[in-house]
Amino acid sequence: QSGYYVSMLGTGFDGNANKIVISEADEELYNRVGSAEKFAAVKSGICEEKKVNGTNQIVLKDTNSVCIYTAADLKATANSTATKILMNDIVVTSSMGALKGGLEGNGHTITSSYNGYIFSSVAGTIKNLNVNFNNAGNGFASEVSNTTSVENVNLTGNINATDQTNVSGLFGKCITKNITINNVSSDIN
């Protein structure tokens, strides 16, 4: 069948390495969502496009959980009350802002090459996440000021902070008594 070739990992049809064939009708969807992973999630019916904070995002169907594929996805939705679910490992090179609504790491890793805190503040549930500091940063979040639960989080790598104020692995300071931390490990230099 004729169709449009789209970049994707693996060997595709007709011997075109790293490509798949999609129909002309699906080309607009692919271009709109911006990646083969997001296209596959929407076409499978697991995810759908939905407005979050005024922009189209890929969310799990029938939930308010946003699928995060890139650091740009995380930054665009960090301040929303939706739960953010990592769909693969990501690298951050700038602050992601305030994290609200929670973050489900889904066993994936956030690697920070940013020389500051990944998040300015956090509130919600953070779980099943690996965080690696690549010779940068002050820690995961500058502060916790609202009810927060942290579970199954692993911190690794090297922090090389230029600002020695509130340098930490997880949180710089805690402004709430409503915080629960379970099964958090840290192996940071």
Side-chain angles (χ1 to χ4, degrees):
Q1 267 188 345
S2 63
Y4 292 83
Y5 288 102
V6 177
S7 295
M8 192 168 180
L9 297 176
T11 301
F13 299 103
D14 300 330
N16 287 288
N18 302 320
K19 305 215 183 256
I20 61 170
V21 177
I22 62 171
S23 69
E24 187 174 350
D26 285 338
E27 181 185 22
E28 191 273 328
L29 171 64
Y30 178 84
N31 290 334
R32 189 172 67 245
V33 299
S35 77
E37 293 163 320
K38 291 178 183 180
F39 173 79
V42 171
K43 286 300 284 185
S44 71
I46 295 170
C47 296
E48 64 185 342
E49 288 182 278
K50 189 175 183 181
K51 284 219 181 278
V52 177
N53 286 355
T55 62
N56 283 346
Q57 297 293 326
I58 304 301
V59 300
L60 291 178
K61 201 166 200 161
D62 303 323
T63 70
N64 194 30
S65 298
V66 179
C67 300
I68 303 298
Y69 293 92
T70 65
D73 292 342
L74 183 56
K75 191 169 191 163
T77 60
N79 200 30
S80 77
T81 58
T83 298
K84 277 61 79 183
I85 300 176
L86 286 184
M87 303 305 283
N88 51 19
D89 297 346
I90 64 171
V91 175
V92 299
T93 57
S94 66
S95 173
M96 297 291 105
L99 176 64
K100 296 180 183 174
L103 177 61
E104 165 59 60
N106 209 15
H108 292 291
T109 301
I110 294 176
T111 298
S112 177
S113 295
Y114 172 59
N115 199 19
Y117 286 101
I118 297 170
F119 296 100
S120 57
S121 65
V122 295
T125 301
I126 301 159
K127 62 182 181 178
N128 305 319
L129 177 66
N130 300 303
V131 181
N132 180 269
F133 297 97
N134 188 13
N135 291 316
N138 288 20
F140 184 71
S142 178
E143 68 179 39
V144 180
S145 57
N146 246 323
T147 302
T148 299
S149 172
V150 181
E151 182 177 340
N152 299 326
V153 173
N154 181 36
L155 306 165
T156 59
N158 297 296
I159 291 178
N160 188 13
T162 56
D163 176 5
Q164 299 301 314
T165 305
N166 296 326
V167 174
S168 67
L170 192 56
F171 305 128
K173 57 186 170 181
C174 193
I175 307 174
T176 183
K177 293 180 182 179
N178 298 323
I179 185 166
T180 305
I181 299 175
N182 290 308
N183 196 29
V184 173
S185 65
S186 178
D187 185 13
I188 298 173
N189 294 318

